[in-house]
Structure formats: C-alpha cells, structure tokens
Amino acid sequence: MSPSLNTFPGQPHVARKEGSLCVEDLELETLARQHGTPLFVYSQQWMLDALAAYRRGFAGRDALVCYAIKANSSLGILRVFAEAGCGFDIVSGGELARVLAAGADAAKVIFSGVGKTRAEMRQALAAGIGCFNVESEAEIDVLNEVALAEGRRAPISVRINPNVDPKTHPYISTGLKGNKFGVAHDRAVAVYRHAAALPGLQVVGIDCHIGSQITEADPYLDAVERVLDLVQAIEAHDGIRLHHLDFGGGLGIDYNGDTPPAADALWQQLLARLDARGFGERRIVIEPGRSLVGNAGVCVTEVLYTKPGEEKNFCIVDAAMNDLPRPAMYQAFHRIEPLALRADEPTVRYDVVGPVCESGDWLGRDRDLAVQAGDLLAVLSAGAYCMSMASNYNTRARAAEVLVSGDKATLIRRRESIEDQLRTELP
Ligand SMILES: *Cc1c(COP(=O)(O)O)cnc(C)c1O
C-alpha cells in the first residue's frame, strides 16, 4: 500500500493502520458498530495540537485565544478547550449558556454578532463576560441603555470593517464594505468618541474579523495595519485607551490540498507588525473556530445503496445534508474514504449523496470508490461547521458524537431519538 493512502493532508490523527481507518488509536469501524451511523468522531489531540500552535505563536506575550464556538459547540468539545484555559467567542445567548455549562471563565468570553437582543445583553452582563464586540452604532446605544438599567457598565470593543480590497484577496467575505458586519473604517473614530462618552459602557478594545477559510497571510496582515491606523487615530482623543486588540478568526484548514499558513508562523508575522508600530505590549485576542476543530473530526456513514445510472452513478449513504451541510451550502469539498479498502476491486465514479429529498443533498461529487451496500465511509474534515449546523430536516435525528483520546473513546452526544424531536411540539 502506498504511504499516501495511510494518512491524509492536515489530519495526522486520522490514519490507516493495517488497512483499517483509525482516529488516534481507535478503529472507526469498531466505534461505528458500537454507536451506529452517521457518527461524528473527533481527535482530542488534533484540537490540543492546533491550540498549541496558536500559543507557540504568542509565546511570551499577553494573548488570549477565544475559541469561536459556532464552529462546533458540542459540550464535550467546549470542555476540552475550557480545561486548556481557552477563552470563548460566542454569538448568542444560547452559546453563552453552553460555554458556562462547559466550565468557561466568563471573564474570558467575548460576545460577537450583529443582532444581539436586549435579553442576550442582560444575560451576558449578569454572567460578567469580558467583552461585547459591538457591530453597529445602534447597538452601542441599546447596550448602554441596558447596562444602565442593570446598574452595570458593559465592557466593549467595536468591530471594525477594514474594507480590505477584494481584488487582491478574494477569499475575504466579511470584511468588505458590502458586508453586514462591523462599523465602517471611516466611522470608527466618531463611533469610539460617542461610545467613550456613554456612562453605561467601558471601552476596552477594538476588533475585526475578515472572513473564513482564509489560506493566505496577506489579508490578515493588511487588516492588522488598517486596525492599527485606527488605534492611533482613536487614541489621539483624550481618555480613550484600547487595552486589547482582537484580530478575529478565519484561518483556513487543509480540506483538499489547501495550504493555509501555520498558526504559529502567521502570529509571529503579526506580532512583528505590532512590534514595528509600537503595539507589542498590548493584549492580543484572537477568535479561531475552524482551525481549532475542523480537521479533528470525521463523520462515519454507511453505504445504503449503489445506484448505477446513465449519466451518473450514485452512492447513497445514511448521512445527509442535515448532518454535513457544507457541500449543499457552499459547494464545499470533503474527502471521502472507505474505512476498509476493497483493494482488488475496480473503482466506480460516484456522486455520494444522502437520503434527503433535495437534489442539493450531496456529500461528494465524482468520487472513485470501490464500495458495496453495507460498507462504511468516512467523510473527513468534518469537525467544523457540520454538527453545529446540523438540522432535523426530513425529521432525521441528529448524529451521535464520540471524542477520542489515545485509545479511549467518550460518547459526548447520544443519537437523537424521535421523542427528542417531538418533545417541543403541541398535540
Ligand atoms: C465565525 C467567526 C469566527 C471564527 O471563524 P473561523 O473561520 O471559524 O475561524 C471568529 N470571529 C467571528 C466574529 C466570527 O463570526
């Protein structure tokens, strides 16, 4: 067997051992037999290694990594990061409840998002979160009102839309003038002056987040420069001091030959820029999501039928767009690997599709596979934006999840039952 079949790019903890696909020291086939399919399996070591790479990049600095939990908000995953001392980036009151349940330190929680409700603001003030990343002038006034009514001061950072040129950086999708996120770069100074004068608010930082699955360093570094320009302009007004600089998340992972910069190398470059401009002593915050979990996870699924056709052959599996929404939503690529190889059988070119009644329900197109009904496949790179986006469409139960550490497996979510799904509905 060629060595290239034994491991997969970006996923050193997913490997074929004696022909059988494993996550860390455990065979996926054994886990699938025990827990059924579709089944998400995560490598704890991959997550800790990814976090360690960020921390290496920030060694010796005052820096806080806040895991952006919308990438994967399962409690068992959050506990791994909470125990490692991570902060968290949340975007809803529900996510706040999750991180607190996982044992997060509220002071290390930052609250992003363009549409925070008053109730969510009250909940976050009561919990004592570290920072509200506000995204509009209207939100600033509402948060001030809510904080005053609660007898508190809300710590805030204003999310800046750096408007990094799309022509040079086509992957950026949230940091452009046409996006709904953040406050326009040229409004920033006025917005900070306004916020600093409000008695219910305490200005503590500045933030930006330019997009997701970014595979080049330049957009980040451009955004950093644009934010630092603003820090200088904002602090030229007396009384405003930005204690932390938050550069968001968005670092990509290797799905299929993608070559994102390594976290440690990227953050060293960023720190060099900060040092050069005299900001090296500031507290740095970052909000990575995908790059802390994406390649930690696989989704195991069973082949239900193979269906030859005149134009296309279909491999119909028991996972679907409700479990793995990224192909349907973004035409995203996930590598698909059989758990056991049928080495002597010819491959057939298939579209791998789920049972959901939508033509958009596909997991992979034009994949060469030697498979039969009953075989198990692993959809790789399924740690981020899969389970957290899963739905009950077609009244399908959400999958079970297992966390693997070495030769130890922990069921962190049981498979949903039909009773779970019907519980909130009235007769
Ligand atoms: C989604 C999001 C992140 C995380 O993005 P990744 O691409 O998963 O790293 C960080 N910050 C904010 C504000 C976000 O919306």
Side-chain angles (χ1 to χ4, degrees):
M1 192 187 300
S2 83
S4 62
L5 284 177
N6 288 327
T7 56
F8 308 96
Q11 296 160 91
H13 302 296
V14 180
R16 251 180 228 295
K17 294 177 186 166
E18 287 156 23
S20 171
L21 205 61
C22 296
V23 166
E24 299 198 19
D25 300 335
L26 292 179
E27 284 189 30
L28 286 170
E29 180 134 14
T30 311
L31 294 172
R33 226 180 286 122
Q34 192 179 348
H35 298 289
T37 54
L39 179 70
F40 284 91
V41 181
Y42 306 106
S43 160
Q44 177 165 312
Q45 194 59 49
W46 194 93
M47 296 184 249
L48 293 176
D49 289 351
L51 177 62
Y54 274 101
R55 289 183 166 164
R56 270 197 306 279
F58 289 122
R61 304 292 181 126
D62 180 9
L64 179 65
V65 178
C66 290
Y67 167 52
I69 82 163
K70 73 179 190 284
N72 188 321
S73 54
S74 300
L75 282 178
I77 303 292
L78 301 183
R79 281 196 197 99
V80 171
F81 290 110
E83 275 165 26
C86 255
F88 294 97
D89 176 42
I90 59 165
V91 293
S92 71
E95 287 196 346
L96 176 57
R98 277 189 179 275
V99 298
L100 295 177
D105 174 358
K108 293 184 186 170
V109 173
I110 57 182
F111 192 171
S112 301
V114 295
K116 301 176 195 78
T117 64
R118 284 176 163 81
E120 287 174 322
M121 290 172 179
R122 280 192 290 272
Q123 181 191 352
L125 283 167
I129 66 160
C131 190
F132 290 83
N133 286 3
V134 300
E135 301 225 15
S136 65
E137 299 178 49
E139 183 189 342
I140 285 174
D141 292 328
V142 171
L143 181 57
N144 176 57
E145 243 178 72
V146 171
L148 288 176
E150 299 290 304
R152 297 176 192 268
R153 275 184 99 186
I156 69 151
S157 159
V158 178
R159 177 169 174 177
I160 302 303
N161 183 334
N163 193 34
V164 178
D165 183 356
K167 294 190 183 93
T168 55
H169 308 300
Y171 290 108
I172 297 166
S173 57
T174 63
L176 290 168
K177 275 188 180 165
N179 298 125
K180 70 179 175 183
F181 301 100
V183 167
H185 192 268
D186 46 16
R187 289 286 305 151
V189 174
V191 168
Y192 267 95
R193 289 187 85 172
H194 174 64
L198 296 174
L201 304 183
Q202 184 182 10
V203 171
V204 295
I206 189 167
D207 65 285
C208 71
H209 170 73
I210 57 174
S212 202
Q213 186 53 18
I214 294 167
T215 55
E216 293 178 21
D218 288 351
Y220 268 114
L221 300 174
D222 287 358
V224 167
E225 299 288 358
R226 306 259 302 155
V227 168
L228 295 183
D229 293 344
L230 281 180
V231 175
Q232 280 168 336
I234 291 161
E235 293 188 345
H237 294 285
D238 30 16
I240 304 185
R241 163 90 184 172
L242 302 174
H243 295 283
H244 76 249
L245 313 177
D246 173 351
F247 297 108
L251 186 57
I253 61 167
D254 187 351
Y255 284 101
N256 184 36
D258 310 292
T259 52
D264 42 358
L266 176 64
W267 299 105
Q268 274 163 22
Q269 271 180 287
L270 173 138
L271 289 171
R273 304 277 179 117
L274 296 188
D275 288 343
R277 296 185 59 174
F279 292 106
E281 303 293 304
R282 292 295 165 99
R283 163 163 259 220
I284 307 298
V285 177
I286 44 157
E287 310 164 353
R290 185 191 314 273
S291 54
L292 288 180
V293 292
N295 267 338
V298 306
C299 181
V300 182
T301 180
E302 183 180 328
V303 177
L304 299 175
Y305 303 99
T306 56
K307 182 174 178 181
E310 255 173 54
E311 285 183 12
K312 286 258 180 194
N313 302 304
F314 294 100
C315 172
I316 302 168
V317 300
D318 68 355
M321 65 187 287
N322 72 299
D323 306 294
L324 295 158
R326 296 185 66 257
M329 280 183 76
Y330 316 116
Q331 286 75 53
F333 181 94
H334 286 271
R335 189 181 279 269
I336 299 175
E337 287 288 328
L339 296 201
L341 294 174
R342 296 177 173 278
D344 302 329
E345 295 175 28
T347 61
V348 174
R349 182 153 296 182
Y350 288 109
D351 275 10
V352 179
V353 301
V356 164
C357 300
E358 297 276 344
S359 292
D361 179 29
W362 57 277
L363 304 181
R365 291 204 159 124
D366 297 324
R367 305 302 174 87
D368 295 327
L369 296 165
V371 286
Q372 294 179 4
D375 285 5
L376 295 171
L377 303 177
V379 179
L380 305 192
S381 308
Y385 302 107
C386 293
M387 185 45 125
S388 60
M389 290 181 143
S391 77
N392 292 123
Y393 189 38
N394 281 207
T395 308
R396 288 170 52 84
R398 274 175 295 184
E401 294 176 294
V402 168
L403 180 66
V404 170
S405 175
D407 61 3
K408 187 168 150 275
T410 308
L411 183 69
I412 59 170
R413 183 196 298 263
R414 69 167 167 78
R415 188 171 306 286
E416 205 170 25
S417 66
I418 185 61
E419 291 74 25
D420 291 330
Q421 286 195 61
L422 296 181
R423 194 165 44 207
T424 54
E425 295 175 46
L426 305 177

